[in-house]
Amino acid sequence: MRQRTFSIIKPDAVRNGATGAILAEIDKAAFRIVAIRKQTISKPQAEGFYAVHQGKPFFDGLCDFMSSGPLVLMVLEKENAIADLRKLMGATNPANAEEGTIRKRFAASIQENAIHGSDGEDTAAFEIGYWFAGYELI
Ligand code: CMP
């Protein structure tokens, strides 16, 4: 089943000049880029996006980090997109990420972990709709 997922190349990876290399990995893994936009988000925008993590000890630092510089918002499509992107990303904590994954190559810490990917169908629908309008997703 063809499926869409939502992804972010996070500010650490953009700052480190890894945007092109991460896009190449995504391309090599046969994802279609449905929509893509580089922008700097505000802290309230980050708080709304990560609302599910509100109250957790890392929430405030995470939202500061996500609003600290430009990032790249993307909607990606392929068969089994949600699970396949998570496999390509590797574990949330790069210390536990497998060889060959994006986080193993590009992430420095559990917070500054280079890339985000939706963790399920409902989350993907919320996250795509949070950042992109329907007319941008054709
Ligand atoms: P992401 O996949 O974007 O989803 C939530 C984010 O919170 C996660 O990647 C990390 O950037 C961050 N995160 C999760 N757990 C921790 C933690 N224990 N400490 C700091 N940041 C975390």
Side-chain angles (χ1 to χ4, degrees):
M1 183 197 52
R2 247 182 126 70
Q3 189 180 53
R4 287 181 178 183
T5 191
F6 174 76
S7 183
I8 302 177
I9 301 175
K10 296 190 180 184
D12 57 325
V14 174
R15 227 173 343 254
N16 294 338
T19 302
I22 292 174
L23 285 173
E25 289 295 319
I26 288 168
D27 187 56
K28 205 164 68 182
F31 288 89
R32 179 172 87 90
I33 298 174
V34 178
I36 185 165
R37 184 167 73 239
K38 183 178 180 183
Q39 71 177 78
T40 302
I41 66 170
S42 67
K43 189 170 180 186
Q45 285 176 322
E47 288 167 347
F49 176 69
Y50 279 124
V52 66
H53 295 299
Q54 207 151 12
K56 294 185 184 163
F58 59 82
F59 180 73
D60 197 54
L62 173 64
C63 295
D64 278 333
F65 161 60
M66 291 299 285
S67 55
S68 68
L71 44 67
V72 180
L73 308 167
M74 296 177 286
V75 178
L76 304 174
E77 184 181 271
K78 76 186 287 286
E79 300 281 317
N80 213 22
I82 294 170
D84 283 5
L85 181 65
R86 289 183 72 82
K87 196 163 171 213
L88 181 64
M89 293 191 315
T92 304
N93 186 346
N96 303 325
E98 282 182 45
E99 281 306 326
T101 62
I102 289 171
R103 283 171 171 157
K104 182 74 180 181
R105 274 181 75 189
F106 300 108
S109 71
I110 191 166
Q111 178 175 276
E112 305 207 359
N113 63 357
I115 187 165
H116 167 85
S118 309
D119 64 5
E121 283 186 22
D122 291 353
T123 324
F126 165 75
E127 293 179 348
I128 291 169
Y130 190 83
W131 294 111
F132 290 96
Y135 70 85
E136 297 175 288
L137 299 170
I138 293 157

